[in-house]
Amino acid sequence: MAQQVWRGSISFGLVNVAVRAFGATRDQKVHFHQIDTRSNSRIGYDKVSRATGEKVDKADIALGYEVEPGSYVTFDPEEVAALRPRSTRTVEISDFVDLAAIDPIYYEKTYWLVPADEAAEKAYGLLAAAMESEQRVGIGMVVMRTKQYLAAIRPLQGALAMSTMRFADEVVSAEDVGGMPDRVEPSDKELELARQIITSLADDWDPSAYHDSFTAELRSLIAEKAAGSQLKVDTEGAPEETGQLVDLMAALQASVEAAKRPRGDGADAGDEDVEDRSA
């Protein structure tokens, strides 16, 4: 069963809904440790001064913020801890905004909200149904584990989910990224062909259709290593870069023709093997 990460209430108007929060996602990535190949033991993290090369005791460690290269202002950990907000027990919804108005770039981590007890079930169901009907998201502030978050409470799969969000100053706009091209207006023919490709590949969203093939193959290699197998790594599968310029119209036309064929046609045995391994 998922572990509870927060318990509190949602407040909107004069209504309070007692809820518990559980993680809605899980990490399936493979994580490695650094190992000393001579002793086959893990390599630890030692706090060593870069200036002297000597180990530093915990009592002699402060928190430093670099104000300019090589110059720091320092704080005792207790000074920073005193500024941290205390965990709140209420998410007070200040605004209900249009669900479609929030770009996914703002969402960070999602939690399922469940009624904290039987008495909260009716108010919980009412809020979920009303938000679903209006396609609105409740925005408020929450503090979990001494960290303050902007939070979005939204209807999802017939329940309520709370997503922590990035603040506006944490999101990098396209204008702030160098090298962005000026907007180019395509020709009518190019636009029509591109639309045909998009239409031919249009489908309903099914997250179960996509798989992390790298992690699946990595886990397979780990199992083989653990069993003592001699492994062979395929280094011939990477396509070569030709460096040739592609004719955009020709590529679009070829893509349209390929998209007209039923999906799966023309796939060779190697492609099928990759799909099987990623399942």
Side-chain angles (χ1 to χ4, degrees):
M1 184 177 177
Q3 184 178 2
Q4 178 179 309
V5 297
W6 182 80
R7 183 187 179 104
S9 63
I10 305 167
S11 173
F12 65 108
L14 299 178
V15 179
N16 281 277
V17 184
V19 293
R20 296 180 295 154
F22 296 84
T25 58
R26 62 172 67 94
D27 182 11
Q28 297 283 43
K29 302 297 182 186
V30 174
H31 300 277
F32 291 99
H33 299 291
Q34 290 186 323
I35 301 294
D36 181 352
T37 57
R38 298 167 298 180
S39 62
N40 202 35
S41 60
R42 285 179 58 176
I43 297 174
Y45 172 67
D46 294 325
K47 295 179 172 64
V48 176
S49 170
R50 292 184 180 180
T52 65
E54 297 178 354
K55 195 168 183 177
V56 182
D57 293 334
K58 184 177 180 180
D60 295 322
I61 297 176
L63 301 176
Y65 181 85
E66 192 171 27
V67 291
E68 58 183 57
S71 180
Y72 299 85
V73 290
T74 59
F75 300 86
D76 291 330
E78 292 77 13
E79 290 182 278
V80 177
L83 297 177
R84 294 189 186 278
R86 294 183 179 180
S87 180
T88 56
R89 293 299 175 190
T90 302
V91 182
E92 188 168 347
I93 296 177
S94 57
D95 306 284
F96 283 99
V97 304
D98 186 355
L99 176 61
I102 302 177
D103 190 282
I105 196 173
Y106 285 95
Y107 291 123
E108 193 172 47
K109 186 173 177 60
T110 300
Y111 303 87
W112 287 116
L113 297 179
V114 301
D117 49 44
E118 206 172 304
E121 290 181 0
K122 184 174 182 179
Y124 178 99
L126 171 63
L127 179 58
M131 293 175 70
E132 179 72 35
S133 174
E134 294 298 313
Q135 286 294 288
R136 292 276 169 173
V137 179
I139 303 296
M141 303 292 292
V142 64
V143 177
M144 294 190 298
R145 297 170 179 167
T146 72
K147 186 173 180 181
Q148 187 179 51
Y149 297 95
L150 181 65
I153 296 173
R154 56 197 172 108
L156 185 64
Q157 299 179 24
L160 289 177
M162 178 174 70
S163 295
T164 55
M165 303 177 71
R166 297 174 179 86
F167 291 100
D169 61 358
E170 296 177 307
V171 175
V172 179
S173 70
E175 295 177 354
D176 294 332
V177 178
M180 286 291 182
D182 294 332
R183 185 178 179 88
V184 177
E185 290 298 330
S187 68
D188 291 342
K189 181 63 175 177
E190 290 172 337
L191 191 57
E192 178 57 29
L193 288 172
R195 284 174 174 167
Q196 287 183 40
I197 297 170
I198 293 171
T199 301
S200 64
L201 296 176
D203 206 346
D204 293 331
W205 166 239
D206 177 13
S208 65
Y210 308 92
H211 308 281
D212 183 352
S213 60
F214 169 75
T215 298
E217 293 181 6
L218 185 56
R219 289 188 183 279
S220 177
L221 290 178
I222 290 171
E224 290 183 42
K225 276 259 189 183
S229 301
Q230 293 295 320
L231 303 178
K232 294 182 179 180
V233 179
D234 179 13
T235 59
E236 300 178 358
E240 295 183 2
E241 295 185 7
T242 63
Q244 296 177 351
L245 293 176
V246 177
D247 184 291
L248 180 58
M249 284 296 294
L252 287 170
Q253 190 64 57
S255 298
V256 170
E257 294 302 321
K260 289 179 179 178
R261 294 196 296 268
R263 296 189 187 184
D265 284 6
D268 57 26
D271 292 334
E272 292 174 1
D273 288 344
V274 171
E275 285 189 23
D276 290 341
R277 288 200 300 272
S278 67

